[in-house]
Structure formats: structure tokens, C-alpha cells
Amino acid sequence: MSVRALLTAVLLVAVAACGGGPEPADEVTLTWWDYLDHSPMADQAVGQLVKRYQDAHPGVEIRRTAIPRADFDAKLAQAVAAGTFPDIAAVDVAALPRLAEQDVLADLTPHYSSWEVKDRYLEPVRESVRHRDRFYGVPLRTSTTALLYNRDLFAAGGVAEPPRTWEELRATAQALTAGDRWGLCFAASEGGSAATFLPLLWQAGGELGDVGGEASVRALSFVDGVLNVDRSAPQDVLRWNDSDVEREFAAGRCAMMVNGPWSAPALNSAGLDWGAAALPSGPAGSGALLGGEAWVLGKAGRHADRAWDVLRWLAEERDNVTEFGAALNALPNRSDTVDELAWRWDPNVPAFVGQLAGSRVVYGPRYAEVSAALSTMVRQVLGRERPPAEAARDGRAKLEPLLR
């Protein structure tokens, strides 16, 4: 052996012994963060997705970290600051624009340009992963809200059908309010009132940019009428989030509630005979807020092509419906799957799905501040601190600099 060859061999052995050698080309390790461990079923479903991909791709190891939802945003912020953003992460679609502005997400637009599946997503769903005309994510779990009602309480109150308009909603809520039972419950806590108000704003004919105008006053006056005039909803809504509302409805203390498909398992476990219907229409028609999560890729990831392949597989593999459906309480969000029976994990799924096509996405990089401003405005009215017109005017002053 020549001296040069001998030195080369010794160097390679030393590097391997120190663990500093390059990762073999056919072996890839990807980091994966999510907060989808909120139930044993959901946690197992995500684990099954990871396992199925790894089984089909033996050279790929996905190291999953499940983080409690309450801690996820803080952990993600720490990763952004430290430059340790994971290869793959499941994030709330409301957070996607902010993360894109922080320049930590991989721009997926080149992949989207040749990806046929993109055109099968419902337009609002596709828009939820786009920011400044660039795609930064792949839709994961899509959700929206609907009007859920207790059939037994409806029958006892002589109400045959769920209300379809604001006027019918107020009348029905009044008719079904008696004793310690309320006609309508909804989330109006600091963290929940914005999502409750936005559909009402659109149903009234308004937009986020014209809060302070007639439509916003009309929407605020409507919820003020339900709570403070008709007394068809409890003052407790001011401290309730969606989970609190779900609990009260499951206990039979609310005849109707505004909530999402994530409530279905708890309501079914409670043995409730319930149904779901479209949110009642206002003067300008219907309107719903689109929510959910998206898969995103870290911009600094070393294996961008493999990470994209994981996202593509998650979206395209038909067998994944088993995990995304019942286990994650997801809704079919593509035109080519919306009618598949595999998505009918609950009889009430179609009521939610019917609202997706007309739902809206209003998230931007400063949505957290926008949401807080809307929440303050709504809670001032519901708490009888300010009349609707005055609260809307103050809300406009807070929102204008955030929407520029």
C-alpha cells in the first residue's frame, strides 16, 4: 500500500470512529414536531402515519416529538430564535403567515407548480397555506364551525328544525331557554371570541378591514341581543372556550352551541342525540371561518427533497384517510375526496363539509394582535362596558395599523 493510500485509510477510520462522517446517501433522519397527542387515538394515528412511511422507505428515520398544545407555540418560538426549527412541523394555519415572515419556512412554491394535487384542494384550504403568493405548507387537518343542536331538547321544546337565519336563531334560543338550560352557547373568552365574531361579521356583510362600519355594529348588536337582551345565553360565555362550551352542551345545559367537528367524540361518548347544521345566515348570507393545521418544512433542513416527499405522501396516500378522519376529527378538504365514504367518520360530518367551500381565511403575520383587538371589542359589548357602535369604533382604531 502506498503512503498516500495508507494515510487515507487511517483518516477514514478515524473520522468514522469519531462519528463525524457524512450520513450515508441512502439513510436520512428527519425531525418532526406536532401537538397532535391530545388524545390516545390521535397520538396513535400520527404514530401510525410515521411508521407507515418509514416501513415503505427503510432508509428514512423520522424522529417525532409530540409537544402539548399549550407549550407548542413557545417551543416553536424557541426553535426559531435558536435556528433549530424542525425538518417537518404541524402548525396552526393562523401561525403560518407569521412563521413565513420570520423566514424559517421552506418555500414550497416550486413543488406546487408541478403538483397536480394542489388544484384538488378547496380554494379556501389552498389559500390557508399561501402567503404573499407563495406556498409554505401542505394542508393537514381542516376544520370549521357549525351550529350543533340537541335533538331531544328540540323535540321537548316543540322545535322541529334547526334555525337557518339570525331571526330564527334568536327565536329558537329564546324558546329553548328555561331554568338552568340555555338556548345558545358559544365561546367568548379572550382566546375564543374573535373566531365566534368573524363569521357573524361576514354574515352581516362586513369585512375585517371595515370594522367600525354598519355591518360590524350589526354583528355586535346581534350577539348583544342574544346575551344581554334575550338572555338566551349565559354570562359565563365570557370565560368559556370551545372545550367549556362542549362540556356544557354534552351535559344538556345548552340546547344549541357553535363548535367544531372536534366535539363529536365527546358528544357521542355522552350518549347525546345531536345534529349539526350550517351556521344561520345573516343579512348578507352565510359565512364561516376556516381553521386547522398545515404541515410545513424548515427552511434550513438538510434533506428538503425527502421532507417534501413525506408531505406529498401524507397528502396523496389514500390509506391515510383512516388516520386523518376519525382519529384526528378532520374534514375532507379536496374536491376529489369530499364524497368518499371513508371520510364519513360521523353522520354529522357533511354539515361541516358543506361550509368549507364558502369559508374564509383572514390570517396574516399579525393575526394574534388582530384577534386580541377583535376579542376586546366583542367582550366590551357582551360585558356591557360599551355599546356596539362605540366598541366597533374603538376596534377600528386598533385594527387599522395591524392590517396595513
Side-chain angles (χ1 to χ4, degrees):
M1 180 180 290
S2 68
V3 174
R4 177 178 295 178
L6 179 60
L7 290 174
T8 301
V10 170
L11 179 61
L12 289 174
V13 170
V15 169
C18 295
E23 192 176 48
D26 58 343
E27 293 185 8
V28 170
T29 299
L30 299 173
T31 54
W32 164 311
W33 287 12
D34 67 64
Y35 54 83
L36 303 173
D37 63 343
H38 51 276
S39 73
M41 182 179 292
D43 191 49
Q44 182 180 3
V46 178
Q48 288 290 347
L49 287 170
V50 171
K51 182 179 183 302
R52 195 151 64 237
Y53 184 87
Q54 291 182 138
D55 288 346
H57 304 81
V60 180
E61 178 188 1
I62 297 177
R63 294 179 180 173
R64 180 193 175 209
T65 301
I67 301 169
R69 183 66 183 94
D71 301 328
F72 189 81
D73 290 343
K75 292 288 186 183
L76 212 57
Q78 291 172 7
V80 170
T84 56
F85 199 90
D87 293 303
I88 301 172
V91 303
D92 194 302
V93 292
L96 187 145
R98 172 174 50 80
L99 293 170
E101 289 284 312
Q102 292 174 326
D103 200 29
V104 295
L105 301 185
D107 183 355
L108 303 181
T109 309
H111 293 293
Y112 265 76
S113 63
S114 58
W115 192 36
E116 294 181 359
V117 173
K118 74 175 186 303
D119 295 323
R120 301 174 193 169
Y121 284 106
L122 302 176
E123 184 178 356
V125 176
R126 192 167 57 248
E127 287 301 307
S128 72
V129 296
R130 181 153 60 179
H131 177 62
R132 300 192 190 280
D133 294 325
R134 311 296 292 178
F135 289 101
Y136 289 97
V138 170
L140 190 176
R141 178 173 59 176
T142 297
S143 63
T144 189
T145 55
L147 183 71
L148 281 58
Y149 60 99
N150 185 318
R151 289 193 177 95
D152 290 334
L153 296 182
F154 265 53
V159 180
E161 301 290 340
R164 292 167 295 182
T165 65
W166 280 11
E167 292 75 15
E168 291 179 2
L169 179 59
R170 283 189 70 170
T172 302
Q174 282 183 289
L176 297 179
T177 298
D180 60 353
R181 186 187 72 227
W182 303 93
L184 177 64
C185 292
F186 51 88
S189 64
E190 290 185 9
S193 52
T196 296
F197 175 74
L198 281 168
L200 294 172
L201 175 65
W202 298 323
Q203 293 158 14
E207 299 291 343
L208 189 56
D210 55 35
V211 165
E214 183 180 346
S216 61
V217 174
R218 189 181 299 126
L220 289 170
S221 298
F222 176 77
V223 289
D224 182 43
V226 170
L227 182 69
N228 295 318
V229 178
D230 303 343
R231 299 188 181 278
S232 299
Q235 284 289 326
D236 285 341
V237 300
L238 284 164
R239 59 180 179 81
W240 284 353
N241 57 29
D242 286 339
S243 296
D244 299 318
V245 176
E246 175 190 293
R247 181 193 63 242
E248 297 299 314
F249 183 82
R253 290 189 284 270
C254 298
M256 298 179 288
M257 73 168 174
V258 176
N259 224 320
W262 52 82
S263 296
L267 303 185
N268 293 334
S269 296
L272 218 62
D273 184 9
W274 64 283
L279 295 175
S281 298
S286 59
L289 176 65
L290 185 138
E293 292 89 18
W295 296 115
V296 298
L297 302 184
K299 183 178 181 179
R302 294 192 302 134
H303 305 289
D305 288 340
R306 175 57 69 184
W308 165 255
D309 185 69
V310 175
L311 299 195
R312 182 198 56 75
W313 177 86
L314 287 166
E316 294 179 4
E317 182 63 39
R318 291 284 179 168
D319 289 344
N320 291 344
V321 170
T322 304
E323 273 68 48
F324 284 114
L328 292 178
N329 311 135
L331 303 176
N333 53 20
R334 283 173 21 195
S335 59
D336 61 327
T337 63
V338 70
D339 293 323
E340 287 187 3
L341 292 178
W343 281 105
R344 301 295 175 90
W345 49 271
D346 186 273
N348 292 294
V349 165
F352 293 99
V353 174
Q355 298 198 140
L356 284 183
S359 61
R360 304 195 195 187
V361 181
V362 294
Y363 309 116
R366 303 187 71 178
Y367 180 71
E369 297 167 86
V370 169
S371 178
L374 290 174
S375 178
T376 297
M377 179 181 71
V378 174
R379 288 167 58 79
Q380 284 177 339
V381 172
L382 296 183
R384 290 190 160 181
E385 298 174 22
R386 294 191 177 182
E390 186 177 321
R393 185 173 61 250
D394 290 350
R396 181 186 186 91
K398 293 178 181 178
L399 287 168
E400 280 185 337
L402 301 177
L403 299 176
R404 289 173 187 161

